[in-house]
Amino acid sequence: MKWRGRRASRNIEDRRGMSGGRVGGIGGVGLIAVLAIGYFFGIDVTPLLQQGAPTQQTSGEITQADQEVGQFVAVTLADTEEVWADIFRTQVGEPYQPATMVLFKGVTQSPCGGASGATGPFYCPADKKAYLDTSFFTTMEQRLGAKGDFAAAYVVAHEIAHHVQNELGILAQANQIRASASQERSNAISVRIELQADCYAGIWARTADAKFGSLERGDVAEAMNAAKQIGDDTLQRNAGRVPSPHTFTHGTSEQRQRWFARGFDTGDMAECDTFGANRL
Ligand SMILES: [Zn+2]
């Protein structure tokens, strides 16, 4: 992705380098319990956790690589702001209010519960912030087999897509239904939320390229590969389990790729109506 020299968003809250950003004290299981308190919308790498959480020791110091990743995220975030401002104007008819992106290293707190880089990035509707441990991109590359800068951009775009859903009132509506639904039904609604976010991420990729000429050869393939690697069936299979569809919360690899592609091919929010779709 071509990103250098473009505007970086100011809506970044950089908590890296803050004290207390160390994983430790709470084990993997405790961490999941903490995260389960509030609805959050993340890249669910729970199967990875059960294999043994990646140990992350953070010194609190910001390395050159950290700075570089921070800049990349800030430019990608700025891209999402411009793209969604355009799309809200043309397709929604309302102004777009951007989200804040929290960067952290190790652990941090959110109104949706505690966060750890080991659990993956997520969006918290309560404070309208996306949370990202920038070392997650290394986890993606080394443990999930999802490499490339556009795979990272897709993750940022996916989390911001949850913010778009929140602005549109979709998350509140879906969560209200989930609150009184069975676990299985709640999971099924979660899948529709997540696939719609993938579709919106596809719209973002298409529109960002049209606006900034940001796509390079292989970028779309990087995003599609990332979508594949974080499909529920693939994650569970890679954790040595037989995929169990009623536990899926994000959709299969095939579904995630297809909905991203649908957003990318059409650029049309109406095409991302996973809630109205008979077949996901
Ligand atoms: Zn998500």
Side-chain angles (χ1 to χ4, degrees), residues 40-44 121-123 155 158-159 161-162 165 190 193-195 197-198 249-250 256:
F40 66 101
F41 301 91
I43 308 293
D44 185 4
F122 66 96
Y123 174 75
V155 167
H158 174 96
E159 295 309 329
H162 286 313
Q165 292 173 312
S190 172
I193 293 170
E194 296 295 338
L195 293 177
D198 283 335
T249 52
H250 287 66
R256 299 199 71 163

Side-chain angles (χ1 to χ4, degrees), residues 49 57 75 81 101 107 117 141 150 170 199 206 218 224 226 257 280:
L49 269 181
Q57 298 276 314
V75 169
E81 289 163 0
M101 175 74 75
V107 291
E141 184 165 340
F150 210 70
I170 294 169
C199 190
R206 178 197 179 95
M224 288 288 276
Q257 290 186 300
L280 285 177

Side-chain angles (χ1 to χ4, degrees), residues 39 174 177-192 232 244-251 280:
Y39 282 116
I177 300 167
R178 287 172 79 194
S180 59
S182 68
Q183 188 62 51
E184 197 167 334
R185 171 115 175 91
S186 175
N187 288 347
I189 295 168
S190 172
V191 168
R192 288 180 193 264
D232 288 318
S244 168
H246 70 276
T247 66
F248 290 175
T249 52
H250 287 66
L280 285 177

Side-chain angles (χ1 to χ4, degrees), residues 1 18 31 47 54-55 58 61-62 100 109 114 127 129 131 182 187 205 207 211 214 216 220 226 235 254:
M1 181 174 108
M18 281 170 62
L31 212 51
T55 46
T58 57
E61 105 188 40
I62 303 294
T100 296
Q109 289 303 317
D127 62 358
K129 292 180 182 178
Y131 290 79
S182 68
N187 288 347
T207 314
K211 277 181 85 74
S214 47
E216 293 176 305
V220 172
L235 282 172
E254 188 276 326

